[in-house]
């Protein structure tokens, strides 16, 4: 099987690359000197599977601090889908984001985001910054291209994630036994953390079973940043004081997946505690 992965050297791309080693892989990443948009202009091959991960992203500071740089994703996705129309891949994976959901639906702990909350017919709320807008636009464009599987990952994590993301940074603070342990914002904001190995397996299962329509990728577990800090400290055996920092970016207050659709074909295997233990072992 001929597989194309754009953004193959990024955090998510590396997990797909490792998982799909048995196939004939074409790997495209700007980190390796190849802009996927230049590739799309020249390549006419029709692939069996295309996994489109190329995007400008980063932690919360990047999303809020570099909105126009993140908006370049509009160009990347537009040229990607034009290329798909030209080459007609057999199966296409498009990574959207939980940031595409309306921010007014992410304010209360009891609210869980379900795929049907985004409708291009009935209602569209305001998504999360330019990153959310770009992913929402990508989903809209995908309607005009055949064979597209859309995924909305929540807080994907792994021990090898960049330190601009909270999971590896919290593990690092715990390993350093920082006291006080700094937590951005009030710490009561929640996220849905899912291990990248579960993300990859869920995506490949959905593609294999031809699951149509957008699909959330999360665990359905609501974890506050305060709880994440406690879990990381517990994993290394100390109990430091926590200092919240209201001046740092917070993002939406509560972002948790309704996992009804995902659980119909795949159940995440790795708990957050197991993921923290793995990270402590790898980084310690």
């Amino acid at each position: 099987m001929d597989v194309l992965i754009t953004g193959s050297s990024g955090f998510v791309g590396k997990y797909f690359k490792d998982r799909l080693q048995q196939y004939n892989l074409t790997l495209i990443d700007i980190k390796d000197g190849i802009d996927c948009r230049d590739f799309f202009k020249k390549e006419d091959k029709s692939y069996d599977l295309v996994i489109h991960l190329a995007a400008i992203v980063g932690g919360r500071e990047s999303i809020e601090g570099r909105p126009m740089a993140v908006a370049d994703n509009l160009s990347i996705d537009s040229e990607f889908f034009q290329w798909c129309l030209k080459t007609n891949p057999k199966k296409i994976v498009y990574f959207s984001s939980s940031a595409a959901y309306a921010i007014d639906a992410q304010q209360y702990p009891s609210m869980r985001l379900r795929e049907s909350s985004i409708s291009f017919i009935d209602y569209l709320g305001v998504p999360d910054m330019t990153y959310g807008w770009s992913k929402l636009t990508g989903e809209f464009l995908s309607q005009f291209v055949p064979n597209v599987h859309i995924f909305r990952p929540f807080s994907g994590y792994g021990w090898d994630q960049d330190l601009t993301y909270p999971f590896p940074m919290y593990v690092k603070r715990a390993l350093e036994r920082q006291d006080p342990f700094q937590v951005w914002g009030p710490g009561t904001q929640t996220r849905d953390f899912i291990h990248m190995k579960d993300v990859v397996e869920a995506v490949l299962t959905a593609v294999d079973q031809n699951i149509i329509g957008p699909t959330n990728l999360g665990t359905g577990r609501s974890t506050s940043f305060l709880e994440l800090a406690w879990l990381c400290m517990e994993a290394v055996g100390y109990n430091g004081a926590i200092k919240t920092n209201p001046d740092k970016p917070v993002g939406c207050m509560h972002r948790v997946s309704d996992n009804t659709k995902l659980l119909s074909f795949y159940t995440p295997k790795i708990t957050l505690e197991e993921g923290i233990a793995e990270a402590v072992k790898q980084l310690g």
Side-chain angles (χ1 to χ4, degrees):
M1 186 165 71
D2 292 323
V3 179
L4 168 67
I5 305 175
T6 70
S8 56
S9 293
F11 173 60
V12 182
K14 288 185 291 185
Y15 278 83
F16 275 100
K17 180 171 60 179
D18 290 345
R19 175 63 174 78
L20 298 172
Q21 284 296 319
Q22 70 270 37
Y23 299 116
N24 181 28
L25 300 181
T26 298
L27 307 174
I28 302 296
D29 197 294
I30 196 149
K31 293 179 182 177
D32 303 319
I34 307 173
D35 189 316
C36 64
R37 289 169 289 189
D38 294 331
F39 175 84
F40 298 148
K41 290 181 176 69
K42 301 173 182 177
E43 179 62 80
D44 292 325
K45 180 177 179 176
S46 180
Y47 287 85
D48 297 304
L49 173 63
V50 175
I51 301 174
H52 180 52
L53 306 171
I56 297 171
V57 69
R60 194 70 221 175
E61 281 189 313
S62 177
I63 289 174
E64 295 192 13
R66 302 171 57 239
M68 286 307 296
V70 173
D72 210 34
N73 290 328
L74 295 165
S75 168
I76 293 171
D77 287 348
S78 173
E79 295 188 48
F80 169 69
F81 284 120
Q82 294 282 4
W83 175 80
C84 288
L85 284 176
K86 179 178 70 173
T87 62
N88 193 29
K90 291 180 181 177
K91 294 185 177 181
I92 302 164
V93 168
Y94 175 69
F95 259 52
S96 179
S97 170
S98 55
Y101 285 107
I103 55 176
D104 64 4
Q106 303 180 60
Q107 303 303 319
Y108 307 104
S110 60
M111 298 181 71
R112 293 178 180 271
L113 301 169
R114 61 177 56 186
E115 291 86 355
S116 59
S117 299
I118 293 177
S119 171
F120 293 112
I121 298 174
D122 300 324
Y123 168 77
L124 277 181
V126 177
D128 189 1
M129 297 295 294
T130 52
Y131 184 69
W133 276 114
S134 69
K135 292 302 182 181
L136 194 60
T137 302
E139 287 195 30
F140 187 81
L141 294 176
S142 73
Q143 298 178 102
F144 308 106
V145 178
N147 309 318
V148 180
H149 298 265
I150 300 171
F151 298 94
R152 297 174 185 157
F154 280 65
S155 295
Y157 73 90
W159 70 268
D160 50 346
Q161 194 171 22
D162 189 272
L163 289 174
T164 56
Y165 289 86
F167 177 85
M169 177 53 74
Y170 278 33
V171 172
K172 179 176 182 291
R173 289 172 183 163
L175 286 168
E176 294 173 353
R177 287 172 163 71
Q178 293 186 12
D179 191 357
F181 190 114
Q182 184 182 140
V183 171
W184 286 12
T188 53
Q189 67 271 32
T190 62
R191 294 295 183 268
D192 185 339
F193 293 95
I194 179 170
H195 198 285
M196 279 310 307
K197 290 181 180 178
D198 276 320
V199 167
V200 170
E201 293 305 321
V203 167
L204 296 179
T205 301
V207 171
D208 183 62
Q209 296 185 16
N210 198 33
I211 305 297
I212 61 172
T215 301
N216 286 344
L217 299 176
T219 64
R221 173 179 173 179
S222 176
T223 303
S224 73
F225 281 65
L226 290 172
E227 183 182 358
L228 180 63
W230 292 325
L231 289 172
C232 290
M233 287 190 286
E234 183 179 51
V236 301
Y238 89 107
N239 185 22
I242 291 178
K243 179 182 180 181
T244 57
N245 191 338
D247 295 329
K248 288 291 188 179
V250 175
C252 299
M253 283 304 297
H254 300 287
R255 179 175 289 169
V256 183
S257 171
D258 181 318
N259 260 19
T260 303
K261 183 176 181 180
L262 176 62
L263 292 175
S264 70
F265 65 89
Y266 182 81
T267 301
K269 307 296 191 298
I270 303 171
T271 67
L272 181 56
E273 287 82 0
E274 290 169 339
I276 291 171
E278 175 194 43
V280 168
K281 180 179 179 180
Q282 293 288 343
L283 300 173

